[in-house]
């Protein structure tokens, strides 16, 4: 499966990554190769192999609904780029461009 | 499905997405508290703020609650489901993805029967299909700071992650709804079912139940039109208004030769209009993929039956039971939606007549509590108190008027004293003791000679004045019917 330069730009935008035209030119074949490797899985997956979402044969890893102490607010807020009124202050949210 | 015409030649098509915040003790993936209204960023940890390396672990109770609600909505429990990441950038979701379910939700193929009152007063049942119910997590809360205080014109946003990671169930209906009344009825009924199952307090004002509406219109007989998604519907009333406004807007655009854009629109309650919020991202833009941090959820049939056994009596069954006991439908709806059933059942079990109990609960009890700003629970009034009050009216100890005063007294005492004790303490019993009442009547007759002459001359209406005098002398505690009888007897 070949990814077009426009598809690479679209995916980059969704991931909020700025890419130059040179990078797009280099990334298109690289990403296409990766998709190609993944497609090989489809060739060996027979009808009698159920789809899987996880490499571990584990299910129902749960915890009881019991409270545990939360982290001290100053420790959590220490990771914020900017703090105001005990909240994370972030730049204005801009509307999604089409 | 029969065609319901919305406007001349046009049909309305609505599907609802309802988010229910679960009333678990802890969040979906971590042990942080879910309590509403805590100080900002006090119920947060590395997991719910998306710190690198933090790992989510599924809250067992949230899965049980989801299965219970799903079954209450007549859905099928999926035997093996899993979680996906929905990728998008928005600062209220710290991880830059929301853990949700995508191709295989926990519940599929349910339905809800909605009763809609027709113009002639009869009830019509409309079945709304439920496509799925999936588990996900809530986002944080943003406070937009700037000149306008709104998102538009704000220069920065302040984020509180307390709500981030609270278990959320999304209930997605099929686009089966054809009028605003059915949409409103669906939301009301869903709210009542959520409360009955106890999985959430389902308070729209606190956001523990939220509703988005997908609205489109089509010329009758055509294929489905392009839909818009309406957000910010904060009440059942807003939902109805927004649907009608949006459908009319779309019809006007289409009749003008224009086209509808797939977008998310914001309902402005004060202006009564919907406005473009953002053009919708397509589903592929969310780049859903199975969350590698979480393993699947397997729900064996024995487990499903164990949860089903916890199912309480649901609102529709309760209303049917009330209707059979002779309670009018409007009161039955109030009893269920107002969560008054424990009191009703207790009073009836204590021997009171069902219709009398329904009258008191939906009438004077509701009225007095709303005046006092109290909940029934806080008032201390019990179903047994109500039964006692009704018995005191039935045996003539209390007039209806005095019974209302006694009720106020019981509420004032927060239930520490029952109706009989309150009536006794405050001397509120009706004076129906013949001897006592006769003495008062004789005195009134003796001191109102002119009026008595009037009555004897045939002016029957004048007796009202004497009844009034007796009432005054007994501070309103005389039985009016008996007073009337005695007056006629004494006057002769
Ligand atoms: Zn947490």
């Amino acid at each position: 499966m070949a990814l077009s330069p426009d598809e690479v730009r679209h995916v980059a935008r969704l991931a909020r990554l700025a890419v130059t035209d040179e990078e797009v030119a280099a990334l298109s074949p690289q990403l296409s190769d990766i998709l190609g490797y993944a497609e090989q899985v489809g060739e060996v997956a027979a009808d009698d192999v159920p789809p899987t979402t996880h490499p571990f044969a584990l299910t129902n890893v749960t915890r009881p609904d019991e409270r545990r102490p939360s982290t001290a607010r100053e420790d959590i807020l220490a990771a914020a780029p900017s703090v105001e009124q005990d909240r994370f202050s972030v730049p204005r949210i801009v509307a999604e461009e089409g | 499905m029969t065609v319901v015409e919305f406007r001349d030649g046009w049909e309305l098509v609505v599907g609802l997405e309802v988010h229910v915040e679960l009333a678990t003790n802890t969040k979906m993936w971590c042990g942080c508290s879910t309590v509403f209204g805590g100080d900002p960023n006090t119920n947060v940890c590395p997991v719910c703020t998306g710190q690198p390396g933090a790992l989510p672990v599924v809250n067992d109770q949230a899965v049980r609650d989801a299965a219970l609600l799903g079954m209450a909505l007549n859905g099928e429990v999926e035997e093996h489901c899993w979680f996906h990441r929905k990728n998008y950038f928005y600062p209220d979701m710290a991880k830059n993805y929301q853990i949700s379910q995508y191709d295989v939700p926990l519940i599929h193929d349910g339905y809800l029967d909605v009763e809609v009152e027709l113009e002639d007063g009869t009830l019509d049942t409309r079945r709304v299909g439920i496509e799925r119910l999936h588990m996900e997590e809530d986002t944080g809360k943003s406070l937009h700071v700037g000149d306008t205080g709104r998102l538009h014109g704000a220069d920065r946003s302040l984020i509180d992650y307390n709500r981030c990671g609270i278990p959320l169930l999304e209930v997605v209906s099929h686009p089966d709804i054809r009028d605003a009344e059915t949409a409103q009825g669906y939301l009301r009924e869903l709210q009542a079912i959520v409360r009955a199952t106890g999985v959430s307090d389902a308070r729209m004002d606190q956001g523990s139940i939220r509703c988005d509406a997908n609205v489109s219109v089509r010329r009758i007989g055509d294929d489905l039109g392009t839909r818009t998604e309406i957000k910010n519907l904060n009440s059942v009333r807003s939902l109805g208004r927004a649907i009608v406004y949006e459908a009319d807007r779309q019809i006007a655009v289409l009749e003008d030769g224009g086209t509808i854009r797939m977008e998310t629109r914001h309902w402005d309650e004060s202006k009564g209009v919907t406005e473009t919020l953002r053009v919708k991202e397509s589903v592929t833009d969310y780049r859903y993929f199975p969350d590698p941090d979480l393993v699947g959820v397997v729900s064996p049939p024995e487990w499903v039956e164990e949860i089903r056994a916890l199912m309480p009596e649901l609102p529709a069954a309760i209303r049917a039971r009330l209707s059979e006991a002779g309670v009018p439908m409007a009161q039955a709806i109030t009893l269920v939606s107002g969560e008054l059933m424990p009191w009703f059942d207790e009073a009836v079990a204590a021997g009171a007549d069902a219709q009398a109990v329904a009258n008191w609960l939906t009438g004077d009890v509701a009225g007095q509590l709303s005046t006092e700003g109290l909940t029934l629970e806080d008032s201390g009034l019990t179903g047994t108190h109500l039964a006692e009050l009704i018995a005191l009216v039935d045996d003539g100890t209390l007039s209806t008027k005095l019974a209302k005063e006694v009720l106020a007294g019981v509420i004032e005492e927060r239930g520490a004293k029952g109706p009989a004790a309150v009536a006794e303490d405050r001397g509120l019993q009706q004076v129906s003791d013949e001897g006592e009442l006769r003495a008062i009547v004789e005195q009134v007759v003796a001191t109102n000679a002119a009026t008595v002459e009037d009555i004897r001359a045939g002016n029957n209406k004048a007796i009202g004045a004497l009844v009034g005098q007796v009432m005054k002398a007994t501070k309103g505690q005389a039985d009016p019917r008996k007073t009337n009888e005695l007056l006629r007897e004494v006057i002769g």
Side-chain angles (χ1 to χ4, degrees), chain B residues 332-353:
Chain B
I333 289 168
T334 308
L335 287 171
V336 175
S337 66
E339 292 167 83
L340 309 176
M341 285 311 292
W343 284 265
F344 176 89
D345 287 334
E346 187 184 321
V348 172
D353 170 66

Side-chain angles (χ1 to χ4, degrees), chain A residues 10 60 63 65 73 84 92, chain B residues 26-27 40 154 156 285 298:
Chain A
H10 180 64
N60 296 14
R63 62 181 172 82
D65 186 25
R73 177 160 70 192
E84 191 177 332
R92 175 172 85 96
Chain B
T26 66
K27 294 187 178 181
R156 59 202 187 283
D285 283 353
V298 169

Side-chain angles (χ1 to χ4, degrees), chain B residues 73-353:
Chain B
L73 299 173
N74 309 293
E76 305 281 328
V77 181
E78 187 66 52
E79 207 169 334
H80 188 182
C81 69
W82 42 80
F83 296 98
H84 270 64
R85 289 186 183 180
K86 178 183 182 180
N87 297 278
Y88 66 96
F89 286 86
Y90 216 68
D92 60 10
M93 181 52 74
K95 300 191 293 293
N96 287 335
Y97 59 84
Q98 178 188 33
I99 305 175
S100 182
Q101 294 192 290
Y102 180 55
D103 52 351
V104 186
L106 180 70
I107 304 286
H108 60 93
D109 293 316
Y111 64 84
L112 192 55
D113 283 333
V114 181
E115 282 179 341
V116 179
E117 196 175 336
L118 301 178
E119 268 170 37
D120 63 4
T122 58
L123 292 174
D124 187 31
T125 304
R126 313 247 166 98
R127 179 159 294 186
V128 178
I130 290 171
E131 182 192 323
R132 59 190 278 155
L133 188 152
H134 65 248
M135 298 181 279
E136 57 184 32
E137 55 178 328
D138 211 346
T139 60
K141 264 188 193 159
S142 310
L143 187 69
H144 304 295
V145 186
D147 293 340
T148 64
R150 284 199 45 201
L151 180 52
H152 292 283
D155 38 46
R156 59 202 187 283
S157 299
L158 308 181
I159 322 284
D160 168 12
Y161 288 112
N162 280 350
R163 198 179 66 181
C164 198
I166 291 183
L168 211 55
L169 301 180
E170 182 172 340
V171 182
V172 183
S173 90
H174 283 292
D176 286 350
I177 297 167
R178 295 291 176 272
D179 58 22
E181 292 71 32
T182 308
Q184 291 176 307
Y186 172 92
L187 181 55
R188 258 191 234 109
E189 187 68 5
L190 181 52
Q191 194 171 23
I193 292 172
V194 168
R195 286 182 179 157
T197 55
V199 303
S200 169
D201 56 7
R203 287 186 58 166
M204 286 198 97
D205 61 331
Q206 291 188 354
S208 55
I209 187 166
R210 309 194 280 270
C211 179
D212 300 334
N214 287 310
V215 179
S216 66
V217 296
R218 61 176 166 188
R219 287 198 165 83
I220 289 168
D222 277 7
D223 289 339
L224 284 180
T226 304
R227 66 174 199 269
T228 58
E229 183 181 1
I230 317 298
K231 288 194 176 286
N232 195 42
L233 304 170
N234 295 322
S235 66
V236 173
R237 186 168 169 268
S238 308
L239 171 65
R241 290 179 70 203
I243 288 172
V244 171
Y245 172 85
E246 178 62 13
D248 279 331
R249 184 192 72 84
Q250 292 184 10
I251 290 170
V253 169
L254 293 168
E255 285 187 338
D256 242 22
T259 51
I260 302 300
R261 193 161 56 147
M262 182 123 144
E263 61 185 2
T264 303
R265 297 178 69 86
H266 178 271
W267 168 249
D268 186 321
E269 178 70 31
S270 56
K271 285 196 238 162
V273 300
T274 63
E275 289 161 337
T276 298
L277 192 64
R278 59 178 177 267
V279 175
K280 248 180 130 50
E281 292 201 43
S282 71
V283 158
T284 52
D285 283 353
Y286 287 126
R287 294 152 295 146
Y288 280 96
F289 67 89
D291 192 321
D293 287 345
L294 292 160
V295 296
V297 176
V298 169
S299 307
E302 316 84 75
W303 180 85
V304 171
E305 291 319 308
E306 181 193 320
I307 301 288
R308 201 191 299 277
L310 303 172
M311 192 68 69
E313 190 183 20
L314 294 174
I318 300 173
R319 288 194 304 265
R321 172 160 73 83
L322 287 170
S323 178
E324 214 149 275
V327 175
M329 192 46 78
Q331 287 186 355
I333 289 168
T334 308
L335 287 171
V336 175
S337 66
E339 292 167 83
L340 309 176
M341 285 311 292
W343 284 265
F344 176 89
D345 287 334
E346 187 184 321
V348 172
D353 170 66

Side-chain angles (χ1 to χ4, degrees), chain A residues 11-39:
Chain A
V11 172
R13 191 189 66 76
L14 291 176
R16 302 299 185 268
L17 294 172
V19 286
T20 63
D21 287 348
E22 291 74 37
E23 284 167 326
V24 170
L27 283 168
S28 297
Q30 287 176 15
L31 289 172
S32 300
D33 284 347
I34 293 170
L35 288 176
Y37 302 142
E39 270 178 354

Side-chain angles (χ1 to χ4, degrees), chain A residues 4-87:
Chain A
S4 72
D6 275 349
E7 284 170 323
V8 173
R9 282 193 195 90
H10 180 64
V11 172
R13 191 189 66 76
L14 291 176
R16 302 299 185 268
L17 294 172
V19 286
T20 63
D21 287 348
E22 291 74 37
E23 284 167 326
V24 170
L27 283 168
S28 297
Q30 287 176 15
L31 289 172
S32 300
D33 284 347
I34 293 170
L35 288 176
Y37 302 142
E39 270 178 354
Q40 287 177 13
V41 177
E43 289 164 23
V44 294
D47 287 344
D48 58 347
V49 180
T52 182
T53 59
H54 207 281
F56 301 154
L58 279 175
T59 56
N60 296 14
V61 178
T62 60
R63 62 181 172 82
D65 186 25
E66 286 160 15
R67 281 181 195 161
R68 295 176 61 176
S70 291
T71 310
R73 177 160 70 192
E74 55 270 31
D75 292 342
I76 286 290
L77 289 177
S82 171
V83 174
E84 191 177 332
Q85 298 176 39
D86 298 320
R87 294 167 171 92

